[in-house]
């Protein structure tokens, strides 16, 4: 499925690199079916420590970066929906730049600093991505 997704993107003349986002169970089946467990899996660099604990990333198949997201799972584990896409498939629109705003907190007799940013995200070009549906069932040991 992953090779087919990459081939579809190449045939559609979508420029790489590509990101392949999979659920934990899908990642398990990818490693089991490949016959090897890759030692080059590294934790993704993230904005905060919480993200580091939830995502894994590795670069394989040349220009494909694999990202494992624990939030992707199928109902009863049978139809988890992952995706392979080019960064140009997604849009990020920042309407107001990041700024800090002080706010008086009378209960603490102090001032809190609130960080704000106004943004929107969405699919920009759906033809620059391919859905990958696969099992998310991990057998009991």
């Amino acid at each position: 499925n992953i090779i087919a997704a990459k081939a579809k993107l190449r045939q559609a003349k979508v420029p790489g690199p590509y990101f392949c986002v999979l659920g934990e169970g899908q990642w398990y089946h990818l490693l089991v079916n490949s016959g090897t467990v890759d030692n080059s899996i590294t934790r993704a660099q993230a904005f905060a420590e919480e993200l580091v604990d939830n995502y894994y990333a590795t670069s394989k198949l040349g220009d494909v970066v694999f990202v494992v997201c624990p939030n992707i799972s199928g109902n009863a584990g049978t139809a988890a929906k992952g995706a392979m896409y080019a960064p140009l498939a997604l849009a990020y629109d920042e309407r107001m730049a990041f700024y800090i705003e002080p706010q008086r907190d009378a209960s603490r007799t102090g001032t809190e600093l609130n960080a704000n940013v106004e943004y929107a995200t969405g699919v920009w070009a759906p033809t620059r991505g391919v859905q990958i549906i696969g099992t998310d069932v991990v057998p009991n040991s």
Side-chain angles (χ1 to χ4, degrees):
N1 290 340
I2 290 168
I3 300 298
K6 183 176 179 181
K8 287 179 182 179
L9 291 173
R10 292 237 185 246
Q11 287 178 337
K13 308 276 191 265
V14 176
Y18 306 124
F19 289 88
C20 184
V21 181
L22 302 172
E24 296 281 354
Q26 290 175 307
W27 181 248
Y28 166 81
H29 287 286
L30 176 65
L31 292 179
V32 168
N33 292 331
S34 70
T36 60
V37 176
D38 192 347
N39 290 328
S40 68
I41 299 171
T42 57
R43 296 269 183 176
Q45 294 181 359
F47 296 112
E49 292 298 322
E50 295 87 7
L51 292 179
V52 174
D53 291 336
N54 292 324
Y55 296 88
Y56 305 93
T58 184
S59 180
K60 291 294 164 206
L61 297 176
D63 60 349
V64 177
V65 176
F66 289 92
V67 180
V68 181
C69 177
N71 298 327
I72 296 175
S73 65
N75 295 336
T78 56
K81 294 180 182 179
M84 183 179 292
Y85 60 92
L88 295 174
L90 304 178
Y92 172 77
D93 182 14
E94 193 169 292
R95 294 296 171 140
M96 183 178 293
F98 177 85
Y99 67 96
I100 301 289
E101 180 180 23
Q103 178 181 356
R104 173 89 173 118
D105 186 349
S107 65
R108 292 188 325 123
T109 61
T111 302
E112 295 178 348
L113 298 177
N114 297 312
N116 297 293
V117 64
E118 292 180 15
Y119 69 94
T121 60
V123 176
W124 179 258
T127 58
R128 293 181 179 158
V130 177
Q131 182 173 265
I132 299 173
I133 299 175
T135 182
D136 198 34
V137 176
V138 177
N140 294 329
S141 301

